[in-house]
Amino acid sequence: MPTGAGTKGGAAAAPRIAVIVSGSGTLLQALLDNAQGYTISSVLSDRGDALGLERARAAGVPTAVVELKEFPDRAAWDRGLLRAVEAFAPDLIVLAGFMRIVGEPLLTRYGGRIINTHPALLPAFPGAHGVRDAIAHGVKVTGCSVILVDAGTDTGPIIAQRAVDVLDDDTEETLHERIKVAERELLVDTVQRMATKGWTVEERKVRLG
Ligand code: GAR
């Protein structure tokens, strides 16, 4: 039964979290604003222009940029990303709007300690367009999922989920904004619980605390 680190009694230091972002970083901001029981010790991005990096700098958090175009190929970039993450020695990695598949090097080194947040109720609507795909399918309820990352696309064990109603006149933008309100709360709550109480995984079942 794999387990994750929480505080094991005594005065253990708050787990150090590396957050990886590709975009605006509102989820990162929620993690920064509510950092109780954990420390956001680094923020990394595959895009030098990601607004999330500015949010990190404003909060005094060290950042690193690992852009694909700086590497000869995807495999070299995967190794580069691992080196950049390792330099910050995180206990847990949070993918918060990171729009790439995690490669084998990061997964081998940090497997079981990488979490991702996705704007749909997995296993429905995995991939880069979870909100668009849910609207196109005509579902009445969608939501967000926080999962442990495995080698597939949004296929890892589910840690927590929250439902959001789809309204008749929703566009991808309006629905995504409402999902992100729920997603920010869910992510902060889940990371706090994982950091302070730990977690176990039995087959696909994740239990917090
Ligand atoms: C979030 O909705 C997150 O679930 C999604 O990107 C958004 C990031 O928002 N991630 C994915 O779709 C990954 N497949 P933010 O940049 O405002 O934090």
Side-chain angles (χ1 to χ4, degrees):
M1 182 191 293
T3 56
T7 42
K8 300 263 193 297
R16 295 163 52 83
I17 295 181
V19 182
I20 313 185
V21 299
S22 296
S24 71
T26 67
L27 297 171
L28 164 67
Q29 190 68 56
L31 288 168
L32 288 166
D33 291 345
N34 297 280
Q36 283 163 16
Y38 61 85
T39 303
I40 304 297
S41 59
S42 54
V43 172
L44 299 97
S45 183
D46 59 320
R47 298 180 54 131
D49 61 353
L51 183 56
L53 291 168
E54 284 179 34
R55 295 178 188 276
R57 289 181 199 117
V61 174
T63 62
V65 176
V66 188
E67 290 195 317
L68 195 50
K69 67 180 186 217
E70 307 295 334
F71 294 82
D73 54 31
R74 166 77 207 222
W77 177 81
D78 279 326
R79 293 192 296 273
L81 182 62
L82 172 61
R83 280 196 301 276
V85 168
E86 277 183 319
F88 293 116
D91 299 304
L92 187 66
I93 298 171
V94 176
L95 310 183
F98 180 54
M99 300 308 284
R100 294 189 188 278
I101 305 295
V102 167
E104 189 267 337
L106 199 65
L107 213 48
T108 301
R109 172 75 176 82
Y110 289 100
R113 292 191 286 147
I114 307 174
I115 74 173
N116 184 31
T117 174
H118 181 75
L121 291 177
L122 294 169
F125 313 118
H129 305 292
V131 181
R132 188 187 308 172
D133 294 346
I135 289 182
H137 199 87
V139 296
K140 303 301 183 195
V141 178
T142 183
C144 47
S145 306
V146 178
I147 64 170
L148 284 171
V149 174
D150 67 8
T153 302
D154 300 322
T155 52
I158 294 166
I159 307 167
Q161 292 184 303
R162 199 160 288 179
V164 174
D165 285 339
V166 181
L167 306 179
D168 286 347
D169 57 356
D170 259 331
T171 63
E172 183 178 357
E173 289 70 33
T174 59
L175 179 56
H176 200 171
E177 275 313 310
R178 265 197 339 283
I179 290 172
K180 288 210 285 184
V181 172
E183 201 176 4
R184 290 192 274 270
E185 250 185 58
L186 184 70
L187 182 63
V188 167
D189 178 63
T190 304
V191 170
Q192 276 176 350
R193 290 174 65 185
M194 292 176 81
T196 57
K197 299 186 189 324
W199 68 96
T200 60
V201 186
E202 210 173 343
E203 296 179 353
R204 288 193 57 87
K205 294 192 182 62
V206 182
R207 288 196 177 80
L208 299 179

